[in-house]
Amino acid sequence: MCHSMDMKNKFGIGIRAMGWKTKVRSSKMKLWIIRGTTVVLLWTCLVQLTALGDTWGPRVLKGWPSSFTQDSHSLDVKFLPTAPARILPPKRVYQNNGYLMVSCNGGLNQMRSAICDMVAIARFLNVTLIVPELDKTSFWADPSEFEDIFDVDHFITSLRDEVRILKQLPPRLKKKMELGIVHTMPPISWSDISYYHNQILPLIKKYKIVHLNRTDARLANNGQPLELQKLRCRVNFNALRFTPQIEYLGRRVVQLLRQRGPFLVLHLRYEMDMLAFSGCTQGCNLDEVEELTRMRYAYPWWKEKIINSELKRKDGLCPLTPEETALTLRALDIDRDIQIYVAAGEIYGGQRRMAGLAAAFPKLVRKETLLGADDLQFFQNHSSQMAALDYLVSLESDIFTPTYDGNMAKVVEGHRRYLGFKKTILLNRKLLVELIDNYTSGSLSWDEFSDAVKDAHSTRMGSPKKRAVIPDRPKEEDYFYANPEECLQPLETKPVSIL
């Protein structure tokens, strides 16, 4: 009897134990289901954030720049991130004629204008554009990819009503590309859109993919359809937005400058590569002249080797030296107490060459003096990202003054025209070096020199004008991106600042 009771008790306990274990398993299963559901929901949220592109997504995923530290509480509310609702344009539906791949060459702003051209060309050929590849083999050797400098998602989605843009080729065509089965060529410089219709489009239809391996100045300045010109502007002023990290630091630099008063951006193009390439050695000692000459011969793609520096300077083909720049700004009656933000790389000759400019305008600043090392650590050895930061500050300055008419000078000039013809002093270097030589030799008094400089530049302040057209000599005429007059609004309806 007792034995029977024991068996019943043990059996009952066993049943209860099994029931408990079943409940435990059931609870664990429910817990795993809850966890799995939570992971799926979180991942869905993450994807949605990424899809926002130019709003919160990149900031959440990539993190804020290191400059967002405890001292950032002083930032004005308008500089903090916002998440405005984005309404994407409808996709343009068209028969795709093939795929266009492009490899840009040159510095940031040369590539920037080339990207605008290639988007316009892809649109008018009804092809699919692959996100452009940036130059990594030029003098600057910047390894940055497109998405390291520009907001790639915004670039793609903001233009989807015009042209289809993909981050990479479809798999089967990508394999073809990897095997080297692709037609690669440089297009002819300064070509009309008809050239691309008649010469490039048949190649795209034949090979399915065409790779253009040079893109600088490959589309004519003038004589193009109005819709094409306006699309070039739309890409430049709206679609090519810098990454949130670059734009954030740009805003921060501008605010730091604004807190101290008005500022002038001086694009002082007096770096070693510029002097070696141009052969301009005014003010350099013999050792420096030899060093620059050796550098020029070391780079085979710099075609001109034997250069007469003095003749080139007198023809106005050299960048102004820091000393010449100081005299020019003083002659123009630029306030001695204005902040001058030097938008440039390392000035050749260092403090020795900058001494005169610093004495004339003691409030010289650079991004490196306004921001800490932590702020710029991700930009080191990335010259295009540094140039992007200077570009943003240049757009926002009270005055912009380039000392040489290179790509940055031209593209910033045109962008400032678009922002309401902001004051941009376009220096007449040929006249200036003549006046400077006459002043330094004693042929002109200071007042005579200053009056002559001001008279010569009274109409060179970035005000509205027609773009000069020189048939059959496109290199000598006004650059489209320096004065995109087809896209400019009257002064009374100024566009708002991009920052």
Side-chain angles (χ1 to χ4, degrees):
M1 184 72 175
C2 291
H3 177 72
S4 177
M5 289 294 293
D6 288 343
M7 290 296 291
K8 286 181 180 180
N9 288 338
K10 287 180 181 178
F11 184 73
I13 291 170
I15 294 293
R16 286 196 297 272
M18 289 175 65
W20 179 77
K21 288 179 181 178
T22 302
K23 288 179 181 179
V24 169
R25 287 195 193 98
S26 177
S27 298
K28 285 184 178 180
M29 184 64 71
K30 288 179 181 178
L31 181 61
W32 281 109
I33 291 172
I34 292 169
R35 286 178 177 174
T37 305
T38 303
V39 169
V40 171
L41 287 172
L42 287 173
W43 178 251
T44 303
C45 292
L46 193 62
V47 171
Q48 292 298 318
L49 285 171
T50 305
L52 289 174
D54 62 332
T55 53
W56 280 98
R59 291 182 173 92
V60 172
L61 296 174
K62 298 179 185 176
W64 283 101
S66 56
S67 58
F68 199 78
T69 54
Q70 65 269 19
D71 64 345
S72 298
H73 68 273
S74 61
L75 289 175
D76 192 278
V77 173
K78 68 181 179 180
F79 290 105
L80 294 177
T82 57
R86 273 189 78 198
I87 301 176
L88 298 179
K91 287 184 178 180
R92 175 171 169 257
V93 179
Y94 59 94
Q95 180 65 45
N96 180 35
N97 286 322
Y99 295 84
L100 180 64
M101 299 185 67
V102 297
S103 295
C104 300
N105 57 291
L108 173 67
N109 294 288
Q110 184 170 310
M111 293 191 290
R112 182 187 183 102
S113 55
I115 291 166
C116 300
D117 290 347
M118 293 300 121
V119 169
I121 290 165
R123 162 63 178 83
F124 277 78
L125 298 186
N126 284 333
V127 299
T128 296
L129 178 68
I130 305 303
V131 169
E133 178 187 25
L134 302 188
D135 191 344
K136 302 178 186 65
T137 61
S138 64
F139 169 81
W140 302 279
D142 187 335
S144 298
E145 302 289 353
F146 186 99
E147 59 269 22
D148 296 322
I149 298 174
F150 300 108
D151 186 335
V152 65
D153 293 320
H154 174 75
F155 175 68
I156 292 170
T157 57
S158 66
L159 292 168
R160 63 189 228 155
D161 59 332
E162 293 285 358
V163 63
R164 184 180 179 221
I165 304 174
L166 299 178
K167 292 182 180 179
Q168 58 184 2
L169 287 165
R172 63 181 181 84
L173 294 177
K174 188 178 181 183
K175 184 69 174 177
K176 188 177 178 181
M177 181 72 182
E178 290 170 351
L179 294 172
I181 310 172
V182 63
H183 187 77
T184 298
M185 61 175 289
I188 297 173
S189 299
W190 308 110
S191 295
D192 289 332
I193 192 63
S194 59
Y195 161 79
Y196 291 92
H197 269 293
N198 299 333
Q199 302 295 324
I200 305 300
L201 183 57
L203 294 173
I204 296 176
K205 289 182 174 180
K206 178 180 179 180
Y207 296 105
K208 302 304 179 187
I209 313 168
V210 166
H211 173 219
L212 302 181
N213 57 7
R214 291 189 70 84
T215 57
D216 57 315
R218 304 292 150 160
L219 188 59
N221 293 312
N222 303 292
Q224 306 310 302
L226 180 61
E227 294 81 5
L228 183 146
Q229 301 289 62
K230 286 183 175 292
L231 181 55
R232 293 166 95 177
C233 292
R234 179 178 169 187
V235 180
N236 192 21
F237 304 138
N238 301 112
L240 282 179
R241 180 185 296 175
F242 293 121
T243 64
Q245 289 80 4
I246 292 174
E247 294 220 349
Y248 173 79
L249 275 187
R251 291 185 180 99
R252 188 158 186 257
V253 170
V254 169
Q255 188 187 28
L256 289 170
L257 290 165
R258 286 267 175 253
Q259 288 172 349
R260 305 173 188 179
F263 67 98
L264 177 152
V265 166
L266 179 65
H267 184 40
L268 187 60
R269 196 69 173 90
Y270 207 75
E271 301 97 337
M272 186 178 184
D273 66 290
M274 179 71 235
L275 301 183
F277 168 75
S278 65
C280 297
T281 57
Q282 175 75 10
C284 295
N285 59 42
L286 289 176
D287 289 339
E288 290 171 335
V289 172
E290 289 178 5
E291 181 181 41
L292 294 171
T293 303
R294 284 195 302 272
M295 183 179 184
R296 183 164 65 255
Y297 276 87
Y299 287 87
W301 52 85
W302 292 348
K303 302 298 183 184
E304 193 177 8
K305 302 299 183 183
I306 301 174
I307 300 173
N308 186 318
S309 176
E310 187 57 32
L311 286 178
K312 199 166 185 179
R313 175 177 174 268
K314 288 185 176 180
D315 286 338
L317 301 176
C318 286
L320 292 184
T321 67
E323 297 87 353
E324 291 168 342
T325 301
L327 284 173
T328 300
L329 295 180
R330 285 180 55 211
L332 288 167
D333 289 339
I334 299 297
D335 189 344
R336 170 180 169 81
D337 291 325
I338 195 171
Q339 298 174 95
I340 294 185
Y341 176 94
V342 180
E346 184 178 352
I347 301 303
Y348 191 63
Q351 293 184 353
R352 176 177 66 84
R353 299 305 302 272
M354 291 293 287
L357 184 60
F361 298 94
K363 293 184 179 179
L364 287 182
V365 296
R366 302 171 62 95
K367 52 187 168 291
E368 294 85 356
T369 60
L370 291 169
L371 299 172
D374 288 346
D375 300 316
L376 296 172
Q377 64 177 326
F378 299 110
F379 293 76
Q380 296 302 323
N381 302 316
H382 293 81
S383 59
S384 291
Q385 295 184 44
M386 287 286 203
L389 190 55
D390 283 342
Y391 186 96
L392 288 173
V393 180
S394 298
L395 292 185
E396 289 298 305
S397 62
D398 297 283
I399 306 171
F400 175 66
T401 308
T403 60
Y404 186 73
D405 54 355
N407 289 291
M408 177 170 171
K410 291 175 181 177
V411 178
V412 169
E413 175 193 345
H415 207 151
R416 286 174 65 86
R417 289 179 185 275
Y418 175 77
L419 293 174
F421 301 98
K422 300 177 77 171
K423 187 173 183 178
T424 302
I425 304 177
L426 306 171
L427 300 176
N428 183 336
R429 296 190 308 280
K430 184 174 182 178
L431 177 61
L432 278 172
V433 296
E434 180 183 351
L435 291 173
I436 288 169
D437 289 347
N438 287 335
Y439 169 68
T440 55
S441 68
S443 300
L444 288 176
S445 68
W446 174 259
D447 288 342
E448 290 171 330
F449 170 66
S450 179
D451 289 343
V453 171
K454 286 196 284 282
D455 288 344
H457 292 87
S458 60
T459 58
R460 299 174 65 91
M461 298 288 174
S463 54
K465 70 168 187 174
K466 295 293 290 181
R467 194 168 60 243
V469 179
I470 305 177
D472 301 321
R473 288 189 291 168
K475 287 185 179 181
E476 300 175 33
E477 66 185 9
D478 287 347
Y479 189 40
F480 172 79
Y481 292 100
N483 185 14
E485 59 183 76
E486 296 90 338
C487 313
L488 304 182
Q489 301 178 34
L491 281 170
E492 58 268 22
T493 55
K494 295 181 183 178
V496 297
S497 162
I498 65 162
L499 292 182

